[in-house]
């Protein structure tokens, strides 16, 4: 039996509400895995880190937090942020420090309109919204390099540097090419070389350079402003997309908006070499406006749990989870208010679990067993 040790950081606001539903689904999948030939189980360890912990201790996580997390196979995170605690402290001292310490340089975010999910775009066929964003996740505009000079004085100056290393750009771009090749899809790079005359000219040149090794992959290059327009007007243009940290952050919220909303947007922070644990989380925040009311949609967390399953090689189980999410959406009987329903967070989690037990999905689990790693999570070398 393959036992996966998962560190759970539910965090703040709606984090704990949505994460418990994801854990429910993972436990159900472990139960369903029995007898499939691909048996697995989970050992969850919860860490009470986040803004409440900060208010009590002055720290967002324990002092040896990173050392502690290193021992786990993966991290499952809810959300971080609370009114009253400055966001740049709460996020830098928990979420961002984990992404950087564990060199989770790939932020993989599906922008896919599932069957039954609402889409605000008219004249767009649902199958046209099916992208995978590969967002650079450790440097770029979020490298944390800069200075605050003459603070509080009339001549105050702030500098926020964008850091684009050759290694950093090359590895994320190469990952995206490998993924496009494996999935036989096109690859689009999104940058801004006309205005960012160092960083993005460099990015574009590395995209071209690496691309020469992948003549079989059809590529496109867009400026970020035009790309955001096309994501709304003609999303079918995009399949695999590679972009920098900031652009990826913004465009994947836009992606969420066209594919069912923040409650359906999942993400994986991957260290492809598996030197360190990877981290799985919904891309939304702690949503203080709805926290504690049972209104949060847990499907983004559940989807990121599916990414976790795929990362561990349980591709069939991951597919079964996505199929169940789709069944819940198509049924449209048990949905949270963001999707027009009246159900609570826990009711939606229970409904996913119920659908997982449906004979159809169960047989999918059996039929697809042992497919091994999907290309997104396979190791690659070079
Ligand atoms: P947010 O994603 O928390 O919320 C934006 C809007 O989307 C809100 O109206 C919220 O109610 C809605 N929403 C988000 N998730 C939802 C869900 N699962 N179901 C239904 N509705 C949902 O973004 P924000 O308001 O800009 O940020 C709130 C806090 O979260 C801030 O402190 C911010 O720094 C932090 N944040 C954390 C993360 C993270 O931990 N990964 C990500 C983004 C923002
Ligand atoms: C996300 C979030 C984070 C990011 C913030 C909270 C630091 O917006 O995961 O999209 O920008 O990476
Ligand atoms: Mn974001």
């Amino acid at each position: 039996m393959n036992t996966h040790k998962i560190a759970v950081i539910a965090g703040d606001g709606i984090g704990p509400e949505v994460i418990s539903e994801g854990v429910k689904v993972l436990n159900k999948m472990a139960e369903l895995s029995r007898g499939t030939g691909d048996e697995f189980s989970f050992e969850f360890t919860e860490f009470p880190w986040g803004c409440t912990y900060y208010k009590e201790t002055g720290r967002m996580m324990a002092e040896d937090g990173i050392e502690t997390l290193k021992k786990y196979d993966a991290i499952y995170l809810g959300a971080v942020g609370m009114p009253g605690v400055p966001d740049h402290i709460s996020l830098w001292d928990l979420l961002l420090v984990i992404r950087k310490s564990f060199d989770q340089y790939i932020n993989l975010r599906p922008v896919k309109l599932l069957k039954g999910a609402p889409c605000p775009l008219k004249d767009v066929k649902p199958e046209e919204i099916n992208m995978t964003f590969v967002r650079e996740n450790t440097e770029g505009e979020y490298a944390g390099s800069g200075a605050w000079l003459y603070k509080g004085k009339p001549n105050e100056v702030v500098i926020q540097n964008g850091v684009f290393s050759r290694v950093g750009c090359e590895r994320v771009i190469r990952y995206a090419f490998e993924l496009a090749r494996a999935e036989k899809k096109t690859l689009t790079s999104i940058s801004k070389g006309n205005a960012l005359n160092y960083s993005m000219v460099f990015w574009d040149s590395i995209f071209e350079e690496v691309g020469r090794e992948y003549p079989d992959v059809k590529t496109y290059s867009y400026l970020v402003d035009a790309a955001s327009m096309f994501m709304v007007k003609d999303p079918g243009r995009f399949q695999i997309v590679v972009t920098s940290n900031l652009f990826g952050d913004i465009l994947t919220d836009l992606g969420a908006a066209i594919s069912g909303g923040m409650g359906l947007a999942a993400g994986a922070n991957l260290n492809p070499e598996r030197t360190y644990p990877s981290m799985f989380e919904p891309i939304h925040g702690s949503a203080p406006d709805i926290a504690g009311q049972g209104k949060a949609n847990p499907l983004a967390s559940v989807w990121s749990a599916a990414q976790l399953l795929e990362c561990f090689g349980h591709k069939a189980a991951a597919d079964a989870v996505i199929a169940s999410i789709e069944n819940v959406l198509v049924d449209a009987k048990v949905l949270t208010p963001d999707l027009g329903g009246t159900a609570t967070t826990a009711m939606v989690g229970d409904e996913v679990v119920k659908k997982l037990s449906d004979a159809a999905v169960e047989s999918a689990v059996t039929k697809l067993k042992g497919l091994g790693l999907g290309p997104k999570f396979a190791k690659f070398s070079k």
Side-chain angles (χ1 to χ4, degrees):
M1 168 85 79
N2 205 346
T3 300
H4 307 300
K5 286 168 62 189
I6 313 292
V8 179
I9 307 172
D12 308 312
I14 62 170
E17 302 170 49
V18 295
I19 283 298
S20 15
E21 303 315 307
V23 168
K24 232 184 231 176
V25 169
L26 287 173
N27 279 327
K28 183 70 191 176
M29 283 320 298
E31 190 190 312
L32 288 174
S33 77
R34 284 182 215 141
T36 65
D38 179 25
E39 282 89 2
F40 56 88
S41 66
F42 292 103
E43 222 177 82
F44 295 103
T45 308
E46 288 176 28
F47 293 92
W49 300 335
C51 289
T52 308
Y53 186 88
Y54 175 84
K55 283 186 170 164
E56 285 161 8
T57 65
R59 306 186 58 89
M60 285 298 293
M61 58 161 45
E63 206 168 347
D64 61 353
I66 291 296
E67 279 309 305
T68 303
L69 290 174
K70 218 182 254 175
K71 300 180 199 121
Y72 289 84
D73 300 324
I75 303 161
Y76 190 36
L77 183 129
V80 184
M82 186 185 276
V85 178
D87 277 342
H88 66 278
I89 293 178
S90 58
L91 273 311
W92 265 98
D93 290 357
L94 189 55
L95 179 76
L96 296 177
V97 78
I98 295 173
R99 287 181 184 167
K100 286 167 207 283
S101 303
F102 293 153
D103 211 16
Q104 296 166 345
Y105 61 89
I106 300 297
N107 193 186
L108 202 66
R109 297 184 159 183
V111 174
K112 180 176 162 65
L113 187 65
L114 296 183
K115 282 186 211 118
C119 176
L121 305 180
K122 60 180 178 81
D123 307 330
V124 168
K125 293 192 204 86
E127 61 276 12
E128 283 173 354
I129 303 180
N130 189 0
M131 326 171 192
T132 302
F133 267 75
V134 181
R135 168 192 178 194
E136 201 292 319
N137 209 29
T138 51
E139 51 175 42
E141 308 86 345
Y142 295 2
S145 157
W148 199 313
L149 306 174
Y150 319 115
K151 218 170 192 168
K153 307 251 167 50
N155 56 342
E156 193 166 14
V157 177
V158 298
I159 301 164
Q160 187 91 46
N161 294 312
V163 176
F164 290 78
S165 68
R166 176 166 282 279
V167 166
C169 295
E170 227 181 271
R171 64 186 184 175
V172 66
I173 288 171
R174 188 177 296 284
Y175 180 95
F177 268 107
E178 288 288 335
L179 182 57
R181 172 177 276 172
E183 296 197 344
K184 296 193 174 31
K185 292 195 168 154
T186 64
L187 174 62
T188 300
S189 163
I190 297 181
S191 63
K192 183 71 188 173
N194 54 358
L196 301 173
N197 53 341
Y198 298 107
S199 58
M200 289 296 160
V201 172
F202 184 61
W203 173 281
D204 288 345
S205 73
I206 292 180
F207 184 69
E208 225 186 282
E209 207 176 292
V210 176
R212 277 185 226 120
E213 295 172 40
Y214 297 84
D216 50 314
V217 176
K218 174 98 184 107
T219 60
Y220 300 93
S221 231
Y222 289 113
L223 295 164
V224 65
D225 39 1
S228 51
M229 178 273 293
F230 282 130
M231 275 181 72
V232 172
K233 295 294 283 180
D234 186 16
R237 284 171 188 251
F238 301 95
Q239 294 184 351
I240 311 292
V241 178
V242 65
T243 190
S244 71
N245 211 333
L246 171 67
F247 295 167
D249 183 21
I250 298 168
L251 291 174
T252 51
D253 264 34
L254 175 59
I258 61 170
S259 59
M262 293 311 287
L264 269 166
N269 304 273
L270 301 176
N271 173 248
E273 291 75 21
R274 295 172 187 252
T275 312
Y276 304 106
S278 292
M279 177 163 67
F280 301 82
E281 51 162 352
I283 81 170
H284 61 70
S286 55
D289 52 339
I290 56 165
Q293 302 168 38
K295 286 185 183 164
N297 185 347
L299 294 176
S301 282
V302 171
W303 193 335
S304 57
Q307 291 185 301
L308 182 150
L309 286 165
E310 191 175 347
C311 185
F312 284 127
H314 311 303
K315 174 83 169 78
D319 289 349
V321 172
I322 305 285
S324 303
I325 296 176
E326 275 194 324
N327 288 346
V328 171
L329 291 168
V330 169
D331 254 18
K333 289 195 192 102
V334 185
L335 297 173
T336 42
D338 58 309
L339 296 179
T342 53
T344 63
T345 310
M347 283 160 75
V348 173
D350 290 342
E351 188 65 10
V352 175
V353 167
K354 202 170 130 219
K355 299 279 185 219
L356 280 171
S357 305
D358 285 358
V361 178
E362 251 185 283
S363 79
V365 175
T366 316
K367 200 171 74 205
L368 296 168
K369 75 183 173 192
L371 279 189
L373 288 176
K376 292 190 187 71
F377 303 103
K379 260 190 237 174
F380 63 87
S381 56
K382 163 77 203 199

